């Protein structure tokens, strides 16, 4: 860790906003002007729009993440958590992965913690649910689904088989619809290699409390996406919710009850709850309250953006929408990060800061191989696409949006190879506990139990000894 006397810009979080803001600042600032320090529990940034494809095996998981130290070579990258912030002293309390908590002084602060899964107190959810916020969860979901096919193909117990082949997904937004579309595609493809498992044996269920799915692409494309999923044999239950999933017995509010080995939770996000410890002004839903210049209200040295910030949507407000806030998506986060980086430089130098205003450019979603929906905004015109063409738009947009040319090339290479090579359908479930087999081999063998001596044999021995 640097002991430089230069001003320190502390970036809390290494996700979209943290990574892009740090890169922008380091590009714009003069040599030796400041020290940029990024603190995050992980040493990499995850490109979350690719998680469904990583879960389906279309992209290598390593290509979904961007190592912070590699793309920020001139910055300090600390692997840990910011536990508290003392605004009066301008000091942050850092909890590293190992060791004692220590204090780190700063001059300028960027809050980029992002969001966490929004959950509810549903019995059994914490014990049995699988999220889709990180690459670890995507890998785990892929291994888990393929392991269920292994179980179903090998067992003679019909109840075990039925439970293994039932998959429940909660949440019909981008994350939920894309994940169930990709995973169903993978399972359908994998079933070709299992003699005792067919697609007709599997049961995929999508549940959402809203009355529609994919609201980001508009009602028309959302309805097409809904019909498309149903045509693929996916059961979709709208305007309902999951009441419990204790012991993987799923109970829905509409009365449906099923035993499901796989329960995936993608029902929205919420700001990171650790924000409550920082003493910052928060909005009604827990977001950091910022101005249109991305500066935290009431401060002149703290900025925030992305999923953890309540940023006024200037474009929507100009169109007549009152109290409009920027939605928590990658499109806004990437653009906010650039404005935030420029504003931090301007703030350091005492120059005026710019306002963040960005009109929606549309949305794209992939629903499996060669299947997708896209809504592109050109001026005041909305172009709506579906099927293969929309899928190409989805891949093209996100393929170019993923950070660094290193990752872009690797992702496009994965897609190109997939055109000629078959999808891998191997389950690496042992990755969840990689040391288990070695432990079984290396642990001391239990001492053999001493054989009990029969009572009549003991008496005979005593008589022989006496004689």
């Amino acid at each position: 860790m640097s002991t430089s006397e230069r001003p320190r810009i502390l970036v809390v979080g290494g996700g979209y906003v943290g990574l892009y803001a740090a890169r922008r600042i380091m590009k714009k600032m003069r040599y030796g002007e400041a020290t940029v320090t990024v603190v995050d529990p992980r040493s990499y940034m995850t490109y979350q729009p690719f998680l469904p494809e990583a879960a389906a095996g279309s992209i290598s998981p390593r290509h979904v993440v961007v190592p912070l130290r590699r793309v920020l070579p001139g910055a300090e990258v600390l692997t840990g958590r910011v536990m508290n912030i003392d605004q009066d002293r301008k000091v942050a309390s850092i909890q590293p992965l190992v060791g004692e908590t220590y204090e780190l002084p700063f001059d300028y602060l960027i809050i980029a913690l992002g969001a966490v899964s929004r959950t509810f107190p549903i019995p059994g959810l914490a014990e049995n649910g699988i999220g889709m916020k990180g690459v670890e969860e995507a890998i785990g979901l892929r291994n888990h689904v393929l392991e269920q096919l292994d179980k179903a193909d090998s067992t003679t117990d019909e109840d075990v088989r039925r439970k293994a082949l039932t998959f429940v997904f909660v949440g019909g937004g981008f994350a939920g619809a894309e994940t169930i579309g990709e995973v169903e595609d993978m399972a359908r493809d994998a079933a070709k290699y299992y003699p005792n498992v067919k697609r007709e044996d599997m049961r995929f269920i999508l549940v959402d409390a809203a009355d529609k799915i994919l609201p980001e692409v508009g009602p028309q494309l959302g309805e097409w996406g809904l019909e498309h999923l149903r045509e693929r044999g996916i059961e979709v239950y709208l305007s309902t919710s999951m009441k419990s999933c204790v012991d993987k017995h799923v109970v829905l509010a509409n009365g449906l009850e099923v035993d499901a080995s796989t329960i995936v939770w993608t029902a929205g996000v919420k700001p990171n709850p650790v924000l409550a410890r920082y003493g910052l002004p928060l909005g009604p839903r827990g977001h950091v309250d910022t101005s249109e210049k991305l500066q935290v209200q009431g401060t002149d040295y703290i900025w925030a953006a992305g999923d953890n910030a309540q940023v006024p949507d200037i474009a929507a407000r100009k169109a007549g929408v009152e109290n409009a806030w920027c939605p928590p998506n990658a499109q806004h986060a990437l653009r906010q990060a650039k404005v935030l980086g420029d504003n931090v430089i301007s703030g350091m130098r005492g120059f005026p800061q710019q306002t963040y205003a960005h009109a929606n450019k549309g949305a794209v979603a992939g629903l499996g191989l060669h299947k997708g929906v896209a809504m592109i905004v050109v001026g005041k015109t909305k172009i709506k696409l579906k099927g293969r063409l929309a899928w190409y738009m989805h891949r093209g947009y996100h393929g170019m949006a993923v950070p660094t040319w290193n990752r872009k090339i690797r992702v496009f290479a994965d897609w190109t190879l997939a055109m000629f090579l078959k999808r891998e359908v191997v389950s690496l479930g042992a990755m969840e506990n990689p040391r288990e087999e070695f432990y079984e081999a290396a642990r001391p063998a239990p001492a053999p139990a001493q054989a009990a001596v029969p009572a009549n044999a003991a008496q005979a021995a005593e008589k022989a000894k006496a004689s």
Side-chain angles (χ1 to χ4, degrees):
M1 188 174 61
S2 172
T3 57
S4 171
E5 296 300 325
R6 293 176 293 181
R8 172 176 276 110
I9 303 169
L10 178 60
V11 183
V12 184
Y16 291 104
V17 173
L19 172 64
Y20 278 93
R23 290 183 75 189
R24 187 78 168 187
I25 291 168
M26 295 176 68
K27 179 181 178 181
K28 291 296 186 74
M29 72 180 184
R30 295 185 289 266
Y31 176 77
E33 186 174 5
T35 297
V36 177
T37 303
V38 180
V39 182
D40 195 279
R42 295 180 174 87
S43 60
Y44 54 85
M45 172 262 201
T46 302
Y47 191 73
Q48 293 180 354
F50 279 158
L51 291 181
E53 290 204 48
S58 299
I59 299 177
S60 171
R62 297 191 309 276
H63 303 161
V64 177
V65 297
V66 181
L68 296 177
R69 288 183 173 85
R70 183 168 183 173
V71 298
L72 300 173
E76 294 178 347
V77 178
L78 306 180
T79 306
R81 301 177 184 275
V82 175
M83 305 304 293
N84 290 289
I85 294 174
D86 188 331
Q87 295 186 47
D88 294 331
R89 297 168 52 219
K90 288 191 176 181
V91 167
S93 177
I94 310 294
Q95 175 62 64
L97 286 180
V98 180
E100 299 291 329
T101 301
Y102 59 88
E103 291 188 341
L104 185 70
F106 63 85
D107 298 274
Y108 305 96
L109 182 64
I110 297 172
I111 304 297
L113 282 173
V116 299
S117 295
R118 181 186 61 187
T119 59
F120 304 98
I122 298 173
L125 178 59
E127 295 80 9
N128 302 310
I130 301 173
M132 274 296 286
K133 285 290 291 176
V135 67
E136 303 87 353
E137 292 171 317
I139 298 171
L141 176 60
R142 170 179 166 76
N143 290 330
H144 175 80
V145 169
L146 292 175
E147 186 178 23
Q148 303 315 303
L149 300 187
D150 290 337
K151 289 179 180 178
D153 188 60
S154 307
T155 186
T156 57
D157 188 320
E158 190 57 35
D159 291 337
V160 171
R161 174 184 169 84
R162 187 182 304 108
K163 183 175 182 178
L165 296 179
T166 301
F167 309 93
V168 176
F169 292 72
V170 183
F174 268 165
E178 288 188 313
T179 303
I180 196 171
E182 293 284 356
V183 171
E184 190 273 342
D185 219 14
M186 178 190 71
R188 180 189 295 270
D189 193 35
K192 301 174 185 176
Y193 305 99
Y194 291 88
N196 299 318
V197 176
K198 297 180 176 60
R199 172 59 183 93
E200 293 75 19
D201 302 328
M202 305 177 203
R203 188 176 185 184
F204 283 86
I205 299 172
L206 178 63
V207 182
D208 198 292
D211 60 354
K212 56 188 174 184
I213 68 169
L214 294 170
E216 299 89 346
V217 296
Q220 185 177 350
L221 289 177
E223 185 63 29
W224 182 88
L226 173 63
E227 293 304 317
H228 170 76
L229 293 179
R230 284 177 169 162
E231 287 173 2
R232 289 164 60 179
I234 298 173
E235 301 174 40
V236 183
Y237 298 101
L238 301 178
S239 301
T240 191
S241 57
M242 185 171 68
K243 296 177 64 177
S244 71
C245 56
V246 177
D247 296 329
K248 297 192 175 181
H249 179 72
V250 176
V251 180
L252 302 184
N254 63 0
L256 178 67
E257 296 189 26
V258 295
D259 289 324
S261 63
T262 307
I263 303 167
V264 182
W265 183 269
T266 59
V269 296
K270 65 180 180 181
N272 197 312
V274 78
L275 292 171
R277 304 179 189 170
Y278 293 172
L280 302 171
L282 302 180
R285 295 178 296 164
H287 300 78
V288 180
D289 191 14
T290 71
S291 69
E292 64 275 7
K293 293 180 172 59
L294 305 176
Q295 204 156 35
V296 175
Q297 298 286 4
T299 72
D300 59 0
Y301 64 95
I302 306 177
W303 292 262
D307 294 356
N308 68 183
Q310 180 177 273
V311 180
D313 191 338
I314 301 301
R317 294 187 181 191
K318 286 182 178 178
V321 182
E322 296 183 3
N323 296 323
W325 308 99
C326 294
N329 58 36
Q331 183 179 154
H332 278 288
L334 297 178
R335 289 166 174 79
Q336 288 172 4
K338 295 178 181 179
V339 175
L340 187 152
D342 291 344
N343 284 354
V344 171
I345 295 293
S346 298
M348 280 199 307
R349 298 173 182 172
F351 296 154
Q353 299 180 34
Q354 58 181 303
T355 295
Y356 174 75
H358 169 68
N360 181 29
K361 298 298 183 183
V364 291
L367 300 175
L369 198 62
H370 304 148
K371 300 173 279 286
V373 292
M375 186 270 290
I376 313 300
V377 180
V378 180
K380 294 184 178 181
T381 304
K382 292 183 180 180
I383 302 174
K384 300 174 183 179
L385 306 172
K386 55 190 177 183
R388 186 182 287 263
L389 183 58
W391 177 76
Y392 284 132
M393 291 292 297
H394 163 75
R395 283 201 162 181
Y397 173 78
H398 286 299
M400 293 308 298
V402 66
T404 78
W405 280 103
N406 180 300
R407 286 300 179 269
K408 296 182 201 299
I409 293 171
R410 291 177 183 273
V411 166
F412 278 106
D414 283 345
W415 288 336
T416 303
L417 288 173
M419 295 170 61
F420 306 100
L421 304 176
K422 294 182 179 180
R423 192 198 309 249
E424 292 290 345
V425 292
V426 123
S427 169
L428 299 177
M431 290 178 62
E432 305 298 325
N433 297 288
R435 293 189 64 254
E436 184 174 356
E437 185 174 346
F438 178 78
Y439 173 75
E440 290 296 328
R443 69 174 180 172
Q450 293 185 354
V453 181
N456 57 352
Q459 292 174 0
E462 287 295 329
K463 288 181 180 180
K465 186 176 181 181
S467 62

